[in-house]
Amino acid sequence: MTGARPLPRLVATDLDGTLLRSDGSVSDRTRRALAATEAAGTEVVFVTARPPRWLHALADLVGGHGRVICLGGAAVWDLGSGAALEMCGFDDGVVRSLVADLRAAVPGAGLAVETADGPAFDPWFPDGEPHLDRRLRGAPVEGALRAGDPVAKLLVVRPGTPAQGFGVVQRGDVHDAAQEEFFERVRGVVDGRAELHYSGAAGLAELLPPGVTKDVALARWCDRLGVEARDVWAFGDMPNDLPMLRWAGRGHAVANAHPDVLACADAVVPGNDDDGVAAALEAVLDAAAPSDGHTPSAPLSR
């Protein structure tokens, strides 16, 4: 990673554990900083492991473009239309073999799949979304694997993970021996057929199609806009953010990040509960502002 100019052309930020506070909220300070960044001509794009249905509450934060890189890089989603602009999925035979092998190697694990048409869950998958249609949990996920509806993400929950607190993002400095042992078992099953991601959610392993990572999706998005890596700032907290932080011209870790992310970052900003992303954006906007205090608007060409 190399240094970036004072005002980047694009800011890419993870959400949970990075931009959002620990309770999932967006502070007023962060809202103001994002709006000021867009007004200054710098596009802000969220790059998140979240599925599309978890993004609607953030629609007012995505500026004029209305798009989010989600599912860990497997999709670019248009929040206005509620449709995928891009979707990368597993080959049908590969995802079926992965499901069968995971059943054998990790007995009792709960599986879920994310497709363009929505999710499906094993009946015993922890119910962190009680508002969803109960039919999505009516049978094991094998019944949801249909040709022509590619799976963008396969989720694996460690056996015995309680529903209470499931999906809560752990602090990056938390050592979880059970999680690490679970990951090793899943890694042994994957054997090059998927990208194994850890976004910080306790008890959860996330499998994406081969070659699908946050940096690949972000690079493709920036190529569309004519933005080079050196003109991108990225923010993250977990190992699945590392490729994006390394690719960007300047990679930032929040103070609560995983030790591997802290070691990799070009800069460390305050933690997510202290609005670290906002603090970094405020500083660069102040440095770029003319002496009269007026920050001109120079919209990024689409």
Side-chain angles (χ1 to χ4, degrees), residues 12-27:
T13 179
D14 172 56
L15 291 177
D16 296 284
T18 301
L19 186 78
L20 307 184
R21 291 189 168 181
S22 295
D23 63 1
S25 67
V26 183
S27 72

Side-chain angles (χ1 to χ4, degrees), residues 9-79:
R9 291 191 66 197
L10 186 141
V11 168
T13 179
D14 172 56
L15 291 177
D16 296 284
T18 301
L19 186 78
L20 307 184
R21 291 189 168 181
S22 295
D23 63 1
S25 67
V26 183
S27 72
D28 290 340
R29 180 185 182 186
T30 293
R31 289 179 179 276
R32 290 192 299 269
L34 294 178
T37 300
E38 290 266 2
T42 295
E43 181 159 313
V44 178
V45 60
F46 298 152
V47 187
T48 177
R50 286 187 171 208
R53 63 187 178 278
W54 290 10
L55 298 171
H56 298 299
L58 305 174
D60 62 325
L61 300 178
V62 293
H65 57 80
R67 295 170 186 134
V68 177
I69 297 172
C70 60
L71 292 172
V76 176
W77 203 264
D78 187 308
L79 293 181

Side-chain angles (χ1 to χ4, degrees), residues 8 65 80 134 163 189 191 193-194 203 214 226 229 249 252 264 266 276 283 292 295:
H65 57 80
R134 302 303 302 175
V189 171
D191 191 28
R193 293 177 290 176
K214 287 187 173 184
H252 301 75
C264 163
D266 294 314
D292 64 2
T295 301

Side-chain angles (χ1 to χ4, degrees), residues 228-244:
E228 297 185 21
R230 66 170 182 259
D231 293 325
V232 176
W233 279 18
F235 295 84
D237 72 313
M238 280 292 168
N240 67 330
D241 295 317
L242 279 171
M244 177 174 72

